[in-house]
């Protein structure tokens, strides 16, 4: 069923200098949760992720490892970045590499257009460059080094020395776009989110923009500038274009028109590239700007941004090997206010796994199915008359689905899960008060027991649907066990926005056995 809406979401494309850590996986999961939600809502959905393979950082890493940048990128993509998608259960529609021909060719098309239209000129550049950020650093982001780098100027993000570069470069007339960008932020307050990020971007652009150096000539690992092959395109200018080259820019106008513009999820450290440089590039080319750029916070370890270069990186499989991909996805999406920084700790992960997933949701599902099996030979009973307590469950379910959907619209992913969790809590409280095991002792209560167990099973049906974008594996198991496959079709085809409509679970459906959705995890330091 189509909703008539279209939704295109992207993650940043990841540098292939190293293997992924949980900070990268965090962006992937957030984009995937959104994509799955929209896909299941009948929106014409497209989700894109990929890898950023050009530039000095990758070149240096490959050289240090005694190989060519292409071979290095191929190895990292094959051995680390593609497997990550499986590790955390990502349902992306496409994966773009900046070394793909479809990308390189159309970066040149874009650049040539800007050149022909007078937005590019050549000049001299001198500045402090951070290879980690792949960016010339303004004075405000340069700090004094400490420890082994004492006495040197270092990047405030990477704490590594900056390099002074003096080159002949091509420049993009970005300064021409300051006012148009300010108008964009003003007229479309949703364009940069969250609010704190928006204010920061406005502040930055108000100071006036400089033209941007968009080529490098001291190395050749990149897309060649079409009119001067002694230069390669600046890696960020090249990378940002992936969002349009992946959906047909330059080669398939119909696909491009149907997908673009989309929305971008990015870490706050790369917000400026996406909310300032990228829309200015698009404006120069006469193309629509993205619907929205959302800057999420950082995963912190010991109070600092987690990163491989600072040796605080945790590989996603270290978590999923023990807890599984669903728990990984649920934990990061529910425990951190999306848009703010969040600290990761194993203790918090274990505690939430046990309390929320195993005891809160998993137990609810297995208890309910066990009772239907025990008291009704596995056949879902038809409800009798509803009492106020039952009607309250129905209201909670309907409100939760509506609130969760509204939160998804605002990209408040944590808020969406909090709304859904009101159903888990309501159903657990309802079972405690209704005591179906006590009702089952007396045949005179049979009708009441019918209603109570139908109510919980139907609540679980709604939960399976709205939780499926976050915990796809567990909800698929639950869906199959609820026996709804036959009567309602596949879980992924369930229209999510009408999941709160009461009464979709058909009485008479036979339920199956359900293994523990979130089994108890024995930790080595357990009692
Ligand atoms: N290649 C560029 C992006 C180009 S997009 C046209 C890049 N790559 S990256 O691999 O360094 O980072 C990709 C994303 O991972 C960024 O959004 C960044 O914010 C995110 N994260 C890296 N470390 C992170 C945390 N510790 N926490 C959350 N996200 C983090 O930048």
């Amino acid at each position: 069923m189509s909703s008539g809406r279209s939704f295109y979401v992207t993650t940043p494309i990841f540098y292939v200098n190293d293997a992924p850590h949980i900070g990268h996986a965090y962006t992937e999961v957030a984009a995937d949760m959104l994509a799955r939600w929209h896909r299941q809502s009948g929106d014409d959905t497209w989700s894109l992720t990929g890898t950023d393979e050009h530039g000095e950082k990758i070149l240096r890493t490959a050289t240090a490892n005694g190989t060519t940048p292409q071979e290095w990128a191929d190895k990292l993509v094959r051995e680390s970045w593609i497997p990550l998608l499986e590790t955390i259960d990502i349902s992306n529609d496409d994966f773009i590499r900046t070394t793909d021909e479809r990308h390189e060719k159309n970066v040149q098309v874009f650049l040539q257009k800007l050149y022909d239209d007078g937005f590019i000129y050549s000049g001299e550049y001198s500045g402090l460059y951070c290879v980690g950020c792949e960016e010339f650093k303004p004075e405000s982001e340069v700090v004094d080094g400490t420890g082994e780098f004492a006495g040197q100027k270092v990047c405030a993000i990477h704490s590594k020395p900056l390099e002074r570069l003096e080159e002949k470069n091509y420049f993009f007339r970005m300064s021409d776009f300051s006012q148009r960008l300010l108008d964009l932020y003003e007229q479309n307050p949703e364009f940069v989110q969250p609010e704190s990020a928006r204010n920061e971007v406005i502040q930055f652009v108000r100071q006036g923009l400089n033209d941007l150096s968009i080529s490098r000539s001291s190395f050749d690992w990149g897309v060649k500038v079409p009119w001067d092959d002694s230069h390669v395109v600046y890696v960020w200018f090249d990378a940002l274009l992936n969002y349009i080259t992946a959906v047909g820019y330059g080669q398939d106008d119909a696909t491009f028109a149907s997908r673009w513009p989309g929305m971008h999820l990015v870490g706050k450290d790369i917000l400026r590239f996406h909310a300032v440089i990228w829309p200015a590039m698009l404006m120069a080319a006469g193309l629509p700007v993205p619907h929205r750029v959302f800057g999420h916070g950082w995963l912190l370890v010991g109070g600092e941004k987690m990163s491989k270069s600072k040796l605080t990186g945790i590989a996603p499989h270290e978590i999923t090997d023990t807890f599984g991909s669903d728990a990984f996805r649920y934990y990061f999406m529910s425990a951190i206010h999306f848009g703010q920084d969040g600290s990761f700790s194993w203790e918090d992960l274990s505690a939430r796994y046990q309390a929320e997933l195993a005891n809160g949701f998993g137990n609810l599902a297995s208890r309910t199915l066990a009772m239907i099996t025990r008291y009704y030979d596995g056949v879902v009973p038809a409800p009798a008359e509803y009492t106020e307590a039952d009607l309250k469950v129905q209201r909670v379910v309907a409100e939760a689905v509506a609130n969760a959907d509204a939160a998804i619209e605002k990209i408040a992913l944590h808020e969406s899960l909090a709304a859904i969790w009101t159903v888990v809590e309501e159903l657990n409280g309802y079972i405690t008060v209704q005591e179906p095991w006590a009702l089952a002792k007396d045949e005179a209560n049979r009708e009441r027991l019918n209603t109570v167990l139908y109510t919980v099973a139907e609540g679980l049906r709604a939960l399976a649907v709205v939780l499926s974008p976050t915990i796809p594996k567990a909800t698929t198991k639950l869906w199959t066990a609820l026996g709804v496959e036959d009567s309602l079709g596949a879980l992924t085809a369930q229209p999510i926005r009408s999941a709160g409509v009461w009464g979709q679970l058909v009485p008479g459906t036979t339920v199956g056995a359900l293994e523990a959705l979130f089994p108890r995890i024995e930790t080595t330091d357990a009692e």
Side-chain angles (χ1 to χ4, degrees):
M1 68 341 338
S2 161
S3 67
R5 284 178 56 177
S6 87
F7 180 75
Y8 170 34
V9 64
T10 69
T11 69
I13 48 171
F14 300 91
Y15 287 128
V16 290
N17 60 316
D18 211 338
H21 59 56
I22 60 175
H24 304 122
Y26 180 63
T27 323
E28 286 282 2
V29 169
D32 192 54
M33 181 178 164
L34 279 175
R36 285 179 187 260
W37 187 280
H38 282 272
R39 208 175 281 130
Q40 206 165 326
S41 299
D43 301 345
D44 178 18
T45 300
W46 197 253
S47 67
L48 173 72
T49 187
T51 42
D52 190 353
E53 305 184 7
H54 292 132
E56 215 165 352
K57 172 149 74 178
I58 310 302
L59 175 62
R60 286 188 191 181
T61 308
T63 309
N65 283 277
T67 184
T68 65
Q70 186 66 62
E71 275 168 4
W72 177 259
D74 289 348
K75 176 179 153 68
L76 265 279
V77 168
R78 190 176 59 242
E79 293 176 5
S80 301
W81 290 93
I82 298 277
L84 168 71
L85 304 175
E86 169 111 24
T87 303
I88 51 174
D89 207 1
I90 301 300
S91 65
N92 56 305
D93 295 294
D94 193 5
F95 187 98
I96 189 161
R97 300 179 54 178
T98 52
T99 49
D100 287 349
E101 199 200 333
R102 60 174 170 164
H103 177 74
E104 293 191 342
K105 209 171 118 225
N106 293 303
V107 166
Q108 291 186 322
V109 169
F110 185 93
L111 212 73
Q112 186 69 51
K113 173 164 174 49
L114 260 50
Y115 187 65
D116 294 345
D117 292 346
F119 289 108
I120 292 176
Y121 63 93
S122 78
E124 290 292 328
Y125 200 89
S126 162
L128 289 172
Y129 195 81
C130 170
V131 177
C133 296
E134 291 281 16
E135 187 184 15
F136 281 106
K137 289 282 156 181
E139 279 304 318
S140 58
E141 289 165 30
V142 174
V143 296
D144 291 323
T146 53
E148 62 173 314
F149 304 127
Q152 297 184 56
K153 294 288 178 198
V154 302
C155 163
I157 294 177
H158 289 88
S159 309
K160 296 237 171 93
L162 297 161
E163 297 172 23
R164 176 154 296 280
L165 295 184
E166 278 170 56
E167 288 183 359
K168 175 188 166 235
N169 285 166
Y170 288 100
F171 285 82
F172 166 51
R173 293 188 192 281
M174 194 160 73
S175 57
D176 288 2
F177 294 90
S178 305
Q179 192 51 50
R180 277 184 68 187
L181 286 168
L182 289 170
D183 293 345
L184 167 69
Y185 310 140
E186 177 76 23
Q187 285 155 14
N188 183 357
E190 302 266 283
F191 178 74
V192 190
Q193 288 290 315
E195 202 54 26
S196 52
R198 176 170 183 264
N199 294 337
E200 207 184 295
V201 165
I202 293 178
Q203 200 66 17
F204 175 77
V205 177
R206 274 208 187 119
Q207 293 163 12
L209 295 174
N210 295 322
D211 288 345
L212 180 73
S213 155
I214 57 152
S215 74
R216 300 289 308 277
S217 57
S218 52
F219 62 91
D220 68 353
W221 178 236
V223 179
K224 295 229 178 306
V225 168
W227 61 89
D228 179 351
D229 67 9
S230 65
H231 283 245
V232 291
V233 179
Y234 169 45
V235 61
W236 268 101
F237 208 84
D238 158 358
L240 287 161
L241 287 164
N242 90 88
Y243 302 130
I244 60 173
T245 59
V247 289
Y249 171 78
Q251 61 186 34
D252 178 352
D253 293 345
T255 302
F256 183 54
S258 73
R259 299 262 172 249
W260 187 254
M263 71 149 289
H264 307 307
L265 280 191
V266 300
K268 63 180 181 180
D269 49 330
I270 57 171
L271 189 77
R272 238 183 254 167
F273 292 99
H274 287 81
V276 180
I277 298 178
W278 177 226
M281 287 166 64
L282 290 163
M283 285 170 178
L287 294 172
V289 298
H291 285 307
R292 192 186 296 202
V293 177
F294 191 98
H296 66 68
W298 287 342
L299 297 191
L300 308 176
V301 169
E304 266 199 67
K305 181 186 180 212
M306 191 191 57
S307 82
K308 271 279 168 81
S309 60
K310 292 192 177 168
L311 301 178
T312 50
I314 298 168
H317 74 81
E318 291 177 54
I319 293 179
T320 57
D321 285 351
T322 306
F323 293 90
S325 58
D326 277 357
F328 185 103
R329 298 167 62 96
Y330 172 78
Y331 173 71
F332 287 109
M333 293 301 102
S334 64
I336 299 170
H337 181 123
F338 199 66
Q340 295 179 7
D341 292 347
S343 291
F344 168 76
S345 81
W346 289 98
E347 292 74 17
D348 191 35
L349 168 63
S350 287
R352 284 175 187 266
Y353 176 90
Q354 198 52 41
E356 294 165 24
L357 290 176
N359 297 343
F361 175 64
N363 256 351
L364 170 69
S366 35
R367 284 209 285 173
T368 306
L369 288 172
M371 285 191 281
I372 295 176
T373 304
R374 191 167 333 126
Y375 307 140
Y376 292 93
D377 283 334
V379 179
V380 175
E385 208 174 319
Y386 286 125
T387 65
E388 180 46 36
D390 314 327
L391 294 171
K392 176 162 176 250
V393 172
Q394 300 182 18
R395 280 198 302 275
V396 170
V397 169
E399 274 166 27
V401 174
N403 291 341
D405 190 47
I408 291 284
E409 288 297 316
K410 301 189 288 181
I411 327 287
L413 306 180
H414 58 292
E415 211 176 295
S416 160
L417 281 170
I420 294 170
W421 227 252
T422 60
V423 176
V424 174
E425 276 154 16
E426 175 65 22
L427 290 177
N428 276 321
Y430 175 83
I431 293 185
T432 307
V433 172
Q434 301 298 325
E435 298 188 308
W437 50 89
L439 294 173
K441 286 189 183 136
D442 186 347
E443 195 50 35
N445 295 326
R446 196 67 179 174
E447 283 209 337
R448 183 65 200 140
L449 183 62
N450 288 354
T451 310
V452 169
L453 284 185
Y454 180 81
T455 297
V456 187
E458 168 63 355
L460 276 177
R461 193 265 322 145
L463 273 180
V465 176
V466 288
L467 281 174
S468 67
T470 316
I471 48 173
K473 290 202 169 92
T475 50
T476 302
K477 285 185 199 153
L478 172 59
W479 192 254
T480 310
L482 275 171
V484 286
E485 280 280 348
D486 293 340
S487 51
L488 292 178
L491 176 60
T492 47
Q494 281 301 300
I496 214 162
R497 294 188 184 114
S498 50
V501 174
W502 194 258
Q504 298 183 50
L505 179 60
V506 184
T509 306
T510 303
V511 302
L514 182 64
E515 57 182 292
L517 293 178
F518 296 97
R520 188 179 161 76
I521 288 171
E522 302 300 338
T523 49
T524 41
D525 57 357
E527 65 283 64

